[in-house]
Amino acid sequence: MNRIEIRLSGFGGQGIILAGYILGKASALYDHKHATMIQNYGPESRGGACSSQVIISDVPVNYPHIIRPHVLAAMSQEAYTKYVDELLDGGLLIIDEDLVRPNGGTQRVRLYSVPSTRIAEELGRKMVANIVMLGCIAALDDSVSAEALRKAVLESVPKGTEELNANAFDRGYEHGRGLVEGRPSTTDQRPPSNE
Amino acid sequence: MNRIEIRLSGFGGQGIILAGYILGKASALYDHKHATMIQNYGPESRGGACSSQVIISDVPVNYPHIIRPHVLAAMSQEAYTKYVDELLDGGLLIIDEDLVRPNGGTQRVRLYSVPSTRIAEELGRKMVANIVMLGCIAALDDSVSAEALRKAVLESVPKGTEELNANAFDRGYEHGRGLVEGRPSTTDQRPPSNE
């Protein structure tokens, strides 16, 4: 039995839930696996870190909670701080490089930085940063196939925004491939913000 | 301890997940409860019934799966057939009256019909049928306050669609209140479709 746990995290309004939904859908519909997605609400809903938990498995998922995730995407400093320690040793940590500054705890994991929000801004819509992040996950992790994930993105986003979202996914994917292959980023370099 | 289980169901594209997300958010943010929402994917993702499970509780939710729901909203015949039997005795069953024809099993529950898709079409956007349904749930059930749910709708929908969604919610709420009070519907009467 193969069970993969993925946590997507950030703050409200970044489309973390939609991204989790798309990830589970891609696995179930196109990779023919079983999947669940949980959204937890609690004190953290009141303005703090927001996360969705996705479980992908070869068999039906009975326990939909994350135990120790294989993959953590962090799109805010608060989410990073809250969730980094639960990541498995050797797990994949992907951060938004303008919004998260890693402060320790990353030696034991594979850390990749992606300017997901900045790429989204270059595409004209900050709100597609979540889809850039999905493209990057597809490039860096093989628990969901890139083809499945791209298809699920295109059929989950609002009508009329397919091209924008396809571009966002492809830019994220390209960036991720570049990180794996050691290519320089094609994104405008900016000094890190002090947020 | 008070635990309420709600299942929203229909087919892909009706916004069942978004509706579940909003319901949990309303409870957590504005009613100050604990909540979880699960989206299950499996064979049913491949074109069949789609559902989201929302648990609302006074204490943190450890078991996010539905055991016997208190509320079932069914927006497709297939979802109705699949889920009607799990509803608690005396539970609240809300169906889209143009898309679902109850075929037995409803004597033991409180059944209400709402033309959610038709109201959404009258408002010009079929895709807000999910929000009409939420308005109706707010009128018929007190597990989430109408005020909390309306707020959560407005802050969860895409920018620029707030007015449309507020109208959808209000129309659903009004329809639900009318059912409780025995008022006639304000919606155009149409013969039932044969879908």
Side-chain angles (χ1 to χ4, degrees):
Chain A
M1 170 184 149
N2 193 12
R3 175 186 163 106
I4 301 288
E5 305 184 350
I6 300 174
R7 189 188 292 278
L8 307 180
S9 64
F11 51 80
Q14 283 181 316
I16 299 295
I17 313 309
L18 177 62
Y21 169 68
I22 291 173
L23 202 51
K25 187 173 178 175
S27 306
L29 248 77
Y30 301 118
D31 282 344
H32 305 290
K33 307 250 180 116
H34 292 267
T36 55
M37 185 271 285
I38 309 189
Q39 162 64 10
N40 280 288
Y41 313 79
E44 71 274 17
S45 306
R46 309 190 232 294
C50 154
S51 96
S52 60
Q53 304 177 43
V54 180
I55 313 289
I56 299 169
S57 171
D58 293 336
V59 297
V61 178
N62 289 318
Y63 188 76
H65 288 288
I66 276 181
I67 306 163
R68 303 270 334 240
H70 303 79
V71 179
L72 169 64
M75 295 182 65
S76 78
Q77 189 69 37
E78 188 177 353
Y80 169 85
T81 302
K82 183 166 181 185
Y83 296 117
V84 68
D85 287 339
E86 70 179 9
L87 193 57
L88 271 182
D89 284 345
L92 175 63
L93 171 61
I94 310 178
I95 59 171
D96 182 304
E97 70 181 45
D98 298 314
L99 301 179
V100 177
R101 192 156 314 199
N103 43 16
T106 57
Q107 298 79 4
R108 61 182 193 84
V109 301
R110 291 171 294 137
L111 169 66
Y112 291 96
S113 297
V114 49
S116 54
T117 303
R118 205 193 315 156
I119 289 175
E121 283 170 350
E122 288 177 18
L123 293 171
R125 292 294 292 279
K126 196 172 176 173
M127 66 182 290
V128 297
N130 58 343
I131 306 300
V132 176
M133 188 54 92
L134 285 182
C136 200
I137 291 172
L140 295 171
D141 188 71
D142 57 5
S143 51
V144 184
S145 73
E147 196 189 354
L149 199 45
R150 194 175 192 278
K151 269 197 210 172
V153 165
L154 293 185
E155 68 167 44
S156 303
V157 298
K159 279 206 174 58
T161 68
E162 290 88 349
E163 193 183 337
L164 169 69
N165 281 285
N167 288 339
F169 185 86
D170 294 344
R171 285 289 302 274
Y173 185 81
E174 273 305 301
H175 187 87
R177 292 307 309 162
L179 291 174
V180 172
E181 294 162 10
R183 278 188 278 123
S185 169
T186 56
T187 307
D188 305 340
Q189 292 301 317
R190 286 192 214 164
S193 75
N194 286 316
E195 281 181 316
Chain B
M1 171 186 149
N2 194 12
R3 175 186 164 106
I4 300 288
E5 304 184 350
I6 300 175
R7 188 188 291 279
L8 307 180
S9 64
F11 52 78
Q14 283 180 316
I16 299 296
I17 313 309
L18 177 61
Y21 169 68
I22 291 173
L23 202 50
K25 187 172 177 175
S27 307
L29 248 78
Y30 301 117
D31 281 345
H32 305 291
K33 308 251 180 115
H34 293 267
T36 56
M37 185 273 284
I38 309 189
Q39 161 65 9
N40 281 290
Y41 313 80
E44 71 274 16
S45 307
R46 310 190 232 295
C50 155
S51 97
S52 61
Q53 304 178 44
V54 180
I55 312 289
I56 300 168
S57 172
D58 293 337
V59 297
V61 178
N62 288 319
Y63 188 74
H65 287 286
I66 275 181
I67 306 164
R68 305 265 340 234
H70 304 77
V71 179
L72 169 64
M75 295 181 66
S76 78
Q77 190 69 37
E78 189 177 353
Y80 169 84
T81 302
K82 184 167 181 183
Y83 297 118
V84 68
D85 287 338
E86 69 178 9
L87 193 57
L88 271 182
D89 284 345
L92 175 64
L93 171 61
I94 310 178
I95 59 172
D96 182 303
E97 72 182 42
D98 298 315
L99 301 178
V100 177
R101 192 155 314 200
N103 43 17
T106 57
Q107 297 79 3
R108 59 181 196 85
V109 300
R110 289 172 294 138
L111 170 65
Y112 291 95
S113 297
V114 51
S116 55
T117 303
R118 205 190 318 156
I119 290 175
E121 284 170 350
E122 288 177 18
L123 293 172
R125 291 296 293 277
K126 197 171 175 175
M127 66 182 291
V128 298
N130 58 342
I131 306 300
V132 177
M133 188 54 92
L134 285 182
C136 199
I137 291 173
L140 294 171
D141 188 71
D142 56 4
S143 51
V144 183
S145 73
E147 194 189 355
L149 199 45
R150 194 176 193 278
K151 268 197 210 174
V153 165
L154 293 185
E155 69 166 43
S156 303
V157 297
K159 277 204 177 61
T161 68
E162 290 89 349
E163 193 182 336
L164 169 69
N165 280 286
N167 288 340
F169 184 85
D170 294 344
R171 285 288 303 274
Y173 185 81
E174 273 305 299
H175 186 88
R177 292 305 311 161
L179 291 173
V180 172
E181 294 162 11
R183 277 188 278 121
S185 169
T186 56
T187 306
D188 304 341
Q189 292 301 318
R190 285 194 216 164
S193 76
N194 285 317
E195 281 181 312

